[in-house]
Amino acid sequence: MSYIIQGDTGDWEVIVGLEVHAQVSSQAKLFSGSPTAFGAGPNSQVSLIDAAMPGMLPVINGYCIEQAVKTGLGLNAKINKTSVFERKNYFYADLPQGYQISQYLHPVVGEGIVTVDLADGTTRDIGVERLHMEQDAGKSMHDQDPKRSFIDLNRAGVCLMEIVTKPDIRSPEEAGAFVRKLRSILRYLGTCDGNMEQGSMRADVNVSVRKVGEEGYRTRAEIKNVNSVRFIMQAIEIEAERQVDIHESGGEIVQETRLMDPVKGETRSMRAKEFAHDYRYFPDPDLLPLELTDAFIEGLRKTLPELPDAKKQRFMDDMGLSAKDASALVADRESAEYFEAVAAASDPKKAANWVTNDLFGALNKAGLAIADSPISAAHLSKLLGLMDDGTISGKIAKDVFEIMWETSGDPEQIVEDKGLKQITDTGAIEAAVDAAIASNPEQADEIRQGNDKAIGWFVGQIMKATQGKANPQQVNQLLREKLKG
Amino acid sequence: MSLDKNDVRRVAFLARIKVDEADLEPVAQDLNNIIGWVEQLAEVDTDGVEPMTGAAGMVMTRRDDVVTDGGDPEKVLSNAPDRVGDFYTVPKVVE
């Protein structure tokens, strides 16, 4: 499914690389002991190190190192046993140090691979160029006062992982799939909460276009700080169209930083100042190189959970699920755990059906996450059990599901209270069948004359009369015996 | 390596240091003297010596992931020349 932009001069393809910033879920910042929690009062989570007071020295947070390495392992990437923190120099009001401590020539993680799942059921490998650790900057607010910008340094110094892809992405869909997959992996690993609304994950999107069949890359533009999957996909569409128009009208793309305006549906230049990209990196003299031992790396490898790709494969191989169901179930860790709890005591395929159709459908409709599901995995599992042992029919199970959704109740209790147990007593069903035949002699005659279609109608009548509690197969059989036997 | 007037103008701009046009030439001369002095290090034979970023023969110390700081905006803002509430303010940054 290639993504082609039809221009006046021919077909164009889009080349995309992403730089995803993912906030490490740590208690304290990368080089100071101040907290990282979201939503605190302005400048209440700032140490004198974060505020860059003279004489303050950074000391690295060991937990952040572990999370970066863990993430690297989760991305099937090479871990560099020596990496170096450097100073990236630039001036901005929310960067009190005048430089960001980052990694440049020697990042902690090298090349890796992320396999993304596409809508048509195929997968594609997107190369990861590197992952490095760096400090976040503070936050500027420009709309509080006509003459001043307000600065809050709470975010300053929070540990980010910058994950850079190779220019392997060829469509908005692939970009979206990459970000969703990366977020899923980070959440499985627990290294980043992946919360894009709160800014724990955001992306810079590098876009260029070229004629289909053309070798090499044309000049690219970078769209900064895009904070949702939808906007990332939209930014690529808009920017690619813009570049095609410029190329076709004989213009030139300027290598620059642009901003996405989702309201106007356009990207616009940030008019970056001349020299702005001359960061004059050099090794931070306050920090020694980061040395990792094999024992440290292997110790972390042992703590890795089963990741979505492996889980998907297991669901398909061991449980016989379809690729589509397996993908939907492993997309986030909570869903996968929920499904496994349900499937533990019943047929996995049936469990997958109920979870992906009934439960996910209801959750979507209500805008709820799986963690907020009114129906617990234990209860759903019990419901499937009631069907398996013939206590209730599939149809009644749907009704019980509705009640469970409303009340969070125990299905066994609901079936008991509402008297929904399937009638297995043949005598009772026979009585219902006889009553139906007696009160509908014309339809009964039709069946006797060979019109089998009327059997279905009768089954419906009898199910209605028994409030759905009769076993439809049993009813069907009895009807045939009585009218045709 | 040597710097000319244009290099000095550029470096001064990047460092946000104001250097008058008339001073660019003498500053370039001063900087070139310093660079020349440091470049004497190139005379040392470093064949087979692993490049390094520091001379301290020690491993980088790590801190535990424990909150030990913050919670005191008064202290952090005590030198702010123009605070509003608990914010620093600066002359408006355009974009």
Side-chain angles (χ1 to χ4, degrees):
Chain A
M1 281 206 309
S2 52
Y3 181 80
I4 299 292
I5 299 155
Q6 281 162 346
D8 297 332
T9 61
D11 288 350
W12 297 78
E13 64 176 348
V14 60
I15 313 288
V16 179
L18 295 173
E19 294 165 25
V20 179
H21 292 87
Q23 180 181 333
V24 169
S25 16
S26 60
Q27 299 298 312
K29 293 182 180 178
L30 178 55
F31 294 116
S32 81
S34 45
T36 59
F38 179 78
N43 290 305
S44 66
Q45 305 196 339
V46 181
S47 79
L48 299 182
I49 298 170
D50 311 321
M53 294 297 167
M56 296 294 113
L57 287 173
V59 180
I60 196 163
N61 182 333
Y63 180 81
C64 294
I65 301 170
E66 290 170 14
Q67 305 317 299
V69 172
K70 242 172 125 167
T71 305
L73 294 170
L75 301 176
N76 311 299
K78 179 175 179 285
I79 308 300
N80 294 321
K81 291 204 286 181
T82 300
S83 64
V84 176
F85 286 97
E86 307 207 30
R87 292 184 177 179
K88 177 181 182 177
N89 297 279
Y90 66 94
F91 286 105
Y92 201 77
D94 56 26
L95 185 78
Q97 288 167 154
Y99 58 84
Q100 175 191 32
I101 304 179
S102 181
Q103 296 189 299
Y104 184 53
L105 293 178
H106 307 283
V108 65
V109 176
E111 293 183 328
I113 293 277
V114 172
T115 303
V116 302
D117 304 286
L118 301 174
D120 63 1
T122 60
T123 60
R124 195 156 173 260
D125 286 348
I126 306 293
V128 170
E129 177 69 33
R130 60 188 278 159
L131 176 155
H132 67 254
M133 301 161 79
E134 62 184 25
Q135 298 176 299
D136 202 352
K139 190 175 164 204
S140 305
M141 274 165 274
H142 307 298
D143 54 0
Q144 305 287 311
D145 184 288
K147 290 210 165 77
R148 293 177 289 193
S149 293
F150 286 30
I151 310 293
D152 174 8
L153 297 180
N154 280 354
R155 290 191 67 90
V158 165
C159 179
L160 303 179
M161 299 179 283
E162 178 170 331
I163 299 153
V164 183
T165 74
K166 293 183 181 292
D168 284 352
I169 297 168
R170 291 288 176 277
S171 70
E173 189 207 351
E174 284 179 16
F178 175 83
V179 174
R180 276 193 292 264
K181 187 59 172 282
L182 178 64
R183 185 172 54 186
S184 162
I185 293 170
L186 295 172
R187 284 178 171 163
Y188 268 79
L189 293 166
T191 57
C192 166
D193 66 23
N195 192 329
M196 296 185 94
E197 297 77 48
Q198 294 181 358
S200 320
M201 225 178 116
R202 50 194 198 267
D204 300 341
V205 187
N206 287 288
V207 180
S208 67
V209 294
R210 70 181 175 197
K211 282 277 181 68
V212 171
E214 189 175 300
E215 294 285 319
Y217 302 122
R218 299 197 182 197
T219 308
R220 65 172 196 267
E222 179 184 19
I223 303 139
K224 272 269 183 221
N225 258 334
V226 193
N227 64 355
S228 83
V229 173
R230 194 161 61 86
F231 290 161
I232 289 169
M233 295 169 67
Q234 199 184 342
I236 295 167
E237 277 174 40
I238 295 168
E239 179 61 17
E241 297 275 354
R242 186 188 75 90
Q243 292 187 11
V244 167
D245 286 348
I246 290 176
H247 284 304
E248 294 201 326
S249 57
E252 274 203 31
I253 305 296
V254 185
Q255 180 161 353
E256 62 177 354
T257 306
R258 300 180 68 83
L259 275 183
M260 160 86 176
D261 185 334
V263 179
K264 288 187 185 159
E266 61 178 29
T267 67
R268 59 191 153 81
S269 174
M270 286 176 80
R271 287 186 293 281
K273 287 225 176 69
E274 205 185 348
F275 304 133
H277 283 290
D278 190 344
Y279 293 126
R280 293 150 297 142
Y281 283 95
F282 66 92
D284 191 318
D286 289 341
L287 292 161
L288 288 161
L290 175 59
E291 308 276 359
L292 306 176
T293 62
D294 285 326
F296 176 81
I297 297 168
E298 293 315 310
L300 285 171
R301 195 189 299 277
K302 286 200 189 87
T303 69
L304 293 188
E306 183 183 38
L307 290 171
D309 288 339
K311 212 181 258 301
K312 178 182 166 190
Q313 201 59 48
R314 181 165 61 81
F315 285 0
M316 290 165 66
D317 294 348
D318 297 358
M319 300 185 173
L321 301 194
S322 68
K324 185 169 163 279
D325 280 353
S327 288
L329 289 167
V330 303
D332 66 85
R333 192 174 179 167
E334 290 78 16
S335 299
E337 282 168 1
Y338 188 102
F339 163 71
E340 291 206 75
V342 176
S346 59
D347 171 36
K349 276 193 192 165
K350 206 173 191 182
N353 258 331
W354 277 81
V355 173
T356 57
N357 295 329
D358 301 274
L359 183 72
F360 285 1
L363 289 170
N364 271 341
K365 211 163 134 196
L368 291 177
I370 187 108
D372 308 318
S373 168
I375 300 178
S376 71
H379 281 170
L380 185 54
S381 176
K382 226 175 186 180
L383 178 68
L384 297 186
L386 290 174
M387 264 189 291
D388 289 344
D389 66 16
T391 309
I392 56 173
S393 67
K395 188 178 170 302
I396 292 286
K398 300 274 177 191
D399 299 339
V400 175
F401 182 90
E402 295 286 320
I403 300 168
M404 290 163 72
W405 179 266
E406 294 304 326
T407 64
S408 294
D410 181 328
E412 223 162 86
Q413 197 63 47
I414 293 168
V415 168
E416 192 66 40
D417 291 350
K418 310 248 168 193
L420 298 172
K421 268 193 191 154
Q422 192 157 255
I423 306 169
T424 42
D425 172 10
T426 323
I429 296 178
E430 207 169 343
V433 170
D434 288 340
I437 292 172
S439 50
N440 301 285
E442 284 170 34
Q443 283 87 346
D445 275 341
E446 278 184 42
I447 296 172
R448 289 195 187 94
Q449 285 153 21
N451 180 3
D452 281 7
K453 274 184 199 153
I455 292 183
W457 181 84
F458 260 110
V459 174
Q461 293 301 306
I462 293 159
M463 293 305 286
K464 208 186 280 172
T466 58
Q467 284 125 36
K469 290 182 287 186
N471 180 325
Q473 280 85 37
Q474 219 173 338
V475 172
N476 201 306
Q477 201 187 334
L478 276 168
L479 276 167
R480 284 175 189 277
E481 279 169 17
K482 286 184 184 292
L483 296 173
K484 309 193 71 173
Chain B
M1 184 174 154
S2 95
L3 302 177
D4 63 18
K5 229 169 104 169
N6 287 331
D7 295 326
V8 174
R9 191 184 289 119
R10 178 183 159 83
V11 171
F13 169 75
L14 286 170
R16 300 299 188 275
I17 295 171
K18 188 171 179 232
V19 180
D20 288 335
E21 194 63 24
D23 291 334
L24 290 175
E25 199 64 64
V27 169
Q29 194 49 52
D30 286 351
L31 287 173
N32 281 330
N33 285 342
I34 295 168
I35 290 167
W37 181 70
V38 174
E39 271 181 348
Q40 292 179 64
L41 286 171
E43 291 167 21
V44 181
D45 179 6
T46 56
D47 278 357
V49 179
E50 186 89 354
M52 51 189 188
T53 53
M58 53 191 283
V59 180
M60 180 158 64
T61 317
R62 300 177 187 183
R63 71 161 73 230
D64 290 334
D65 185 31
V66 176
V67 173
T68 56
D69 210 335
D72 195 351
E74 285 310 316
K75 186 173 73 179
V76 169
L77 288 157
S78 56
N79 293 312
D82 184 21
R83 70 183 268 189
V84 173
D86 283 345
F87 288 101
Y88 290 97
T89 73
V90 296
K92 190 149 191 135
V93 181
V94 183
E95 216 165 44

